[in-house]
Amino acid sequence: MGDSKVGTVVVKRGMAEMQKGGVIMDVVNAEQAKIAEAAGAVAVMALERVPSDIRKAGGVARMADPTIIEEVMKAVSIPVMAKARIGHITEARILEAMGVDYIDESEVLTPADEEFHLLKSSYTVPFVCGCRDLGEAARRIGEGASMLRTKGEPGTGNIVEAVRHMRKVNAQVRRVVNMSEDELMTEAKLLGAPYEVLLEIKKLGRLPVVNFAAGGVATPADAALMMELGADGVFVGSGIFKSENPALFAKAIVEATTNFRDYKLLAEISKGLGTPMTGLEIASLAPADRMQDRGW
Amino acid sequence: MLKVGILALQGAVREHAASLKRCGVEAVEVKAADDLKGLDGLILPGGESTTMRRLIDTYDLMKPLKQFVSLDRPVFGTCAGLILLAERIAGSDACHIGMMNITVERNSFGRQVNSFEAPLNIKDVGRSFPGVFIRAPHISEAGAGVEVMCEYEGRIVMARQNNLLGCAFHPELTGDQRVMSYFVKMVREAFSARPKN
């Protein structure tokens, strides 16, 4: 195609911009993907196991069986995302070759490289990465991530870590935006952030890519809370298909994300949803089970 | 000041709002039927059309949106918004707002890895406009009354039918204001032509 260019920064970041205000749902088969699409999900994340089951299963968690990803891609017309291990160049290239729409370089899976993340700018497919603070967010953007999300603590149904990460990143962004330009290099050093990314943040007055909430969203009120705190959208992992009535739950989370300040509506849609997933207290996790500490 | 609404259920609302402001037009987020009152034009932004449709139904917005379109105030659909406007969607018996005499094919350039940028020559807008195509649809058939404004590799990617304007790409993701200026001109002209009371 003559003058056309694929995989540009605009096209990769733009894809995430189109997902704003939406909910991305974890699914493990075609049937769940269809429920998610019918409920109004903007995308689905095709997985072999949702994070809470990955926790239970233990051992090494890897990229899903391509059969499952293909099954989901055939079942729905919305974008399909999939997870690769941190630093696993080949898993990411396999997912790209399969035509997956977005790759999550994810701490939910066991890292393949404990030193280096993927050079995401070298891929045509866009990437989303987790972050706990602005240093981590800026490093991922520096490597070419086109979308961010909080790490939270996946598979716990406990929102506390996602709240911590969203507040932290936004407070640090506000700080950078209000700094004088001659203070930025020192801030870059202190945050461990690429200077150019901080400069871009200062010029734009915000992060240059969207930042979704992820890791612990279990109820419509959780999703609305994260939007209130400035999330551009929401990932729901175990929350939906580990709840009593997934179709109803999925629909409620979508509505809560759109109208996160309509409290009467939130009360209505929170009625009779059945039991949400069972939550885990973060302090009860052994250090090795804290997924958010994977990646750097 | 002219007021243009942006359907704000999901998608690229912020970018359109910024683009409208640069044209000197007030941007209003539309989340409920009441928000449509007093608008001089409306933008249906990019996003996921299936999600937007579900939310349109949830908030009983379909009838008010159709009523707004029938007022002949200019409406501009980009990407998913173009799909919402189309009377016919290939491979589906149903449509959404369905008031533009076109057939659209969804995701017709492929998946995200095939999303691309390419320069476009657009009738009445200009040459070398930066076209950003993201899992984009195209117009496979333009019916009576529809003027084709741009084709890319033999596929129709922008068209106008009276006060309805639709494109398959994302002018709001570029710094180029020419397409938005064209739409704002439509809004201004429609406003001037309206009987004053």
Side-chain angles (χ1 to χ4, degrees):
Chain A
M1 295 212 281
D3 303 337
S4 80
K5 290 190 211 88
V6 295
T8 61
V9 170
V10 173
V11 157
K12 293 201 281 189
R13 290 182 179 179
M15 160 78 198
E17 299 287 349
M18 296 307 138
Q19 305 265 297
K20 277 198 304 257
V23 181
I24 299 168
M25 302 181 189
D26 277 3
V27 298
V28 298
N29 55 41
E31 184 199 352
Q32 289 187 356
K34 282 183 182 151
I35 291 173
E37 184 176 47
V42 289
V44 289
M45 177 79 70
L47 291 162
E48 205 158 313
R49 283 194 282 259
V50 295
S52 64
D53 286 339
I54 289 175
R55 275 188 190 285
K56 274 184 212 142
V60 174
R62 310 179 181 88
M63 174 185 87
D65 181 334
T67 319
I68 294 171
I69 298 166
E70 267 176 14
E71 184 191 314
V72 169
M73 284 166 69
K74 278 187 200 136
V76 293
S77 67
I78 54 176
V80 176
M81 302 187 170
K83 289 185 195 292
R85 278 179 271 179
I86 290 172
H88 205 307
I89 299 165
T90 306
E91 281 189 354
R93 287 292 180 196
I94 291 170
L95 293 173
E96 181 179 53
M98 289 174 64
V100 161
D101 295 299
Y102 235 94
I103 297 178
D104 185 359
E105 185 184 20
S106 179
E107 67 282 2
V108 167
L109 306 181
T110 312
D113 190 324
E114 295 196 325
E115 205 172 347
F116 303 111
H117 281 253
L118 296 167
L119 182 63
K120 292 163 279 286
S121 55
S122 68
Y123 293 72
T124 302
V125 67
F127 282 83
V128 55
C129 287
C131 60
R132 288 162 300 180
D133 55 39
L134 184 56
E136 202 171 20
R139 289 193 292 279
R140 297 296 85 81
I141 295 169
E143 290 154 357
S146 309
M147 179 182 193
L148 294 169
R149 55 171 176 75
T150 58
K151 282 183 162 177
E153 192 51 48
T156 59
N158 189 339
I159 199 69
V160 67
E161 296 301 303
V163 167
R164 189 193 318 281
H165 301 158
M166 185 57 70
R167 277 197 181 273
K168 181 105 190 244
V169 169
N170 287 341
Q172 290 174 313
V173 166
R174 281 193 296 271
R175 200 178 130 78
V176 164
V177 170
N178 290 313
M179 273 182 169
S180 127
E181 210 169 304
D182 54 14
E183 297 171 323
L184 282 187
M185 186 58 84
T186 300
E187 185 69 3
K189 177 191 166 194
L190 295 174
L191 291 173
Y195 171 76
E196 290 70 21
V197 175
L198 294 193
L199 198 60
E200 195 180 2
I201 290 169
K202 176 160 178 59
K203 282 186 178 149
L204 287 171
R206 57 174 170 81
L207 286 168
V209 301
V210 299
N211 188 16
F212 273 45
V217 176
T219 65
D222 286 348
L225 168 65
M226 294 312 297
M227 294 300 287
E228 177 69 42
L229 292 175
D232 289 310
V234 178
F235 280 89
V236 188
S238 321
I240 289 168
F241 291 99
K242 286 289 162 187
S243 72
E244 224 169 59
N245 187 339
L248 200 62
F249 216 85
K251 193 170 163 283
I253 296 245
V254 169
E255 286 184 43
T257 304
T258 310
N259 283 298
F260 59 94
R261 278 191 187 140
D262 187 339
Y263 306 114
K264 280 184 182 154
L265 176 92
L266 290 175
E268 277 310 307
I269 61 179
S270 300
K271 283 179 188 164
L273 286 179
T275 319
M277 68 180 285
T278 313
L280 278 176
E281 174 56 47
I282 304 296
S284 71
L285 298 177
D289 293 333
R290 283 167 58 92
M291 292 174 174
Q292 61 174 289
D293 295 334
R294 298 166 170 177
W296 32 95
Chain B
M1 197 193 266
L2 290 172
K3 275 208 293 196
V4 172
I6 307 166
L7 184 66
L9 298 174
Q10 187 270 316
V13 179
R14 175 173 76 196
E15 290 78 6
H16 276 299
S19 187
L20 281 171
K21 277 176 202 151
R22 284 197 292 271
C23 287
V25 171
E26 186 183 341
V28 179
E29 289 197 5
V30 174
K31 287 192 176 204
D34 278 354
D35 302 332
L36 289 164
K37 283 185 192 143
L39 295 181
D40 303 304
L42 178 68
I43 291 176
L44 306 171
E48 285 305 320
S49 60
T50 49
T51 305
M52 285 191 209
R53 174 55 194 270
R54 252 217 53 76
L55 292 166
I56 285 172
D57 290 345
T58 304
Y59 304 121
D60 293 323
L61 272 169
M62 190 51 91
K63 214 171 134 194
L65 283 172
K66 285 187 178 178
Q67 272 166 356
F68 188 88
V69 175
S70 63
L71 287 175
D72 271 347
R73 309 245 161 121
V75 178
F76 180 22
T78 58
C79 196
L82 172 73
I83 296 168
L84 293 182
L85 279 178
E87 278 180 23
R88 296 168 299 278
I89 300 168
S92 165
D93 297 329
C95 65
H96 306 301
I97 297 169
M99 294 175 79
M100 192 168 177
N101 188 12
I102 54 172
T103 306
V104 292
E105 254 182 69
R106 296 182 60 206
N107 301 333
S108 68
F109 293 91
R111 304 193 70 97
Q112 172 60 17
V113 285
N114 308 110
S115 292
F116 63 98
E117 286 184 70
L120 304 172
N121 296 327
I122 307 172
K123 186 176 179 292
D124 301 332
V125 169
R127 300 186 65 79
S128 298
F129 185 88
V132 178
F133 292 82
I134 298 175
R135 289 169 47 91
H138 88 283
I139 299 169
S140 54
E141 183 220 338
V146 177
E147 180 191 17
V148 173
M149 294 178 66
C150 181
E151 288 187 32
Y152 179 73
E153 305 229 310
R155 296 177 195 200
I156 304 169
V157 293
M158 184 164 175
R160 175 174 176 178
Q161 178 182 9
N162 302 320
N163 276 334
L164 302 180
L165 183 69
C167 67
F169 49 94
H170 293 282
E172 77 282 5
L173 292 181
T174 72
D176 195 319
Q177 288 285 109
R178 285 180 289 169
V179 167
M180 186 57 89
S181 301
Y182 178 88
F183 175 65
V184 167
K185 193 165 150 249
M186 281 171 64
V187 175
R188 238 179 263 291
E189 283 167 2
F191 180 81
S192 310
R194 238 157 46 209
K196 304 285 176 288
N197 44 7

